[in-house]
Amino acid sequence: MFPSPSTPTPLKTEVAAGEVLRERHQRPASVLYLDSGRVLLGVREDGQLRHQLGAVQGPCWLDAAPALLGQACMVDMVADTRVQLRRMPLEAFRNGFEALPSPARALVVDMARGYCQQTELAVSRLAQDAEARCAQWLLRHAQHDDSGALRVTLHQRKRLIAAQLGIAPETLSRVLWHLRDHGLIAGTGSVLSLLQPGALQMVAGGG
């Protein structure tokens, strides 16, 4: 969004590959400028970057858009190679932005909003994909009870089921809560009733 930092910044910091530079929902007090190296953007689950949304190569700003809009980070950022970066204090970053001509500020804000909206949409689609996988799993393991209704008995712990689906346990819990809230399933123990198999099939087909 900007050229290399024009105000004095700390010396370059070298970070090894695999290190987490930013976490989703984090509100840091600084803005990262990537001098060199490659950084992966995505969503981490169980300590791993399971969903990659993109990659950036330095030199570039990493989290300037959300910092400019006062938003939390929308994605996890993980060093794919050894990287060199600088951290500019948030206040200094905003002061530098305010020093830009008014038309330039307006353009940059529009670009930042567009970037954040696109990123939020991409992350939300990942959540939809998780719902689809969970719905597919439920339908695949469903059996008719004596009354003819469909039920799923959870013979494994949710942690193991989540691992099979390639999602975090908390993601599985969140998806199941969402399906209950919409009346597609019922039950909170080891037995889940599929109240609307047709609607659940639509969710499964959305993946």
Side-chain angles (χ1 to χ4, degrees):
M1 296 175 62
F2 298 107
S4 59
S6 58
T7 56
T9 59
L11 294 176
K12 295 180 184 179
T13 300
E14 194 167 272
V15 180
E19 291 293 319
V20 179
L21 307 179
R22 284 285 188 256
E23 293 183 350
R24 277 201 312 151
H25 310 308
Q26 182 182 12
R27 289 184 177 272
S30 62
V31 186
L32 293 180
Y33 183 83
L34 179 65
D35 278 290
S36 64
R38 176 183 166 92
V39 173
L40 302 179
L41 312 177
V43 176
R44 296 168 66 244
E45 293 176 348
D46 289 338
Q48 297 183 4
L49 193 71
R50 294 190 181 276
H51 307 285
Q52 183 177 330
L53 296 175
V56 293
Q57 191 84 26
C60 65
W61 290 97
L62 286 178
D63 53 355
L68 185 63
L69 300 179
Q71 298 181 7
C73 293
M74 295 158 292
V75 294
D76 295 307
M77 301 181 181
V78 181
D80 187 40
T81 64
R82 183 172 294 278
V83 302
Q84 288 189 333
L85 49 82
R86 286 178 275 176
R87 301 176 189 272
M88 176 181 286
L90 189 55
E91 183 177 359
F93 174 78
R94 288 177 174 167
N95 289 340
F97 171 74
E98 291 298 330
L100 294 174
S102 178
R105 291 202 307 271
L107 174 61
V108 170
V109 168
D110 285 344
M111 293 173 62
R113 286 195 182 119
Y115 170 83
C116 289
Q117 289 171 358
Q118 290 177 355
T119 305
E120 288 172 353
L121 177 61
V123 172
S124 69
R125 284 176 175 169
L126 288 179
Q128 292 172 2
D129 181 56
E131 282 193 356
R133 279 179 280 166
C134 289
Q136 292 166 6
W137 189 92
L138 290 170
L139 290 167
R140 192 164 57 247
H141 291 81
Q143 294 183 338
H144 291 281
D145 61 12
D146 295 337
S147 66
L150 282 175
R151 291 187 176 182
V152 174
T153 301
L154 305 181
H155 297 290
Q156 297 176 310
R157 293 184 177 182
K158 289 182 180 179
R159 174 176 56 81
L160 297 177
I161 296 173
Q164 294 175 22
L165 296 174
I167 60 178
E170 57 267 27
T171 301
L172 175 60
S173 297
R174 185 168 60 251
V175 168
L176 292 177
W177 178 88
H178 182 75
L179 295 177
R180 288 191 198 96
D181 188 56
H182 283 72
L184 274 64
I185 66 173
T188 56
S190 60
V191 178
L192 300 176
S193 299
L194 307 191
L195 303 180
Q196 300 187 50
L200 201 61
Q201 184 63 57
M202 292 182 63
V203 174

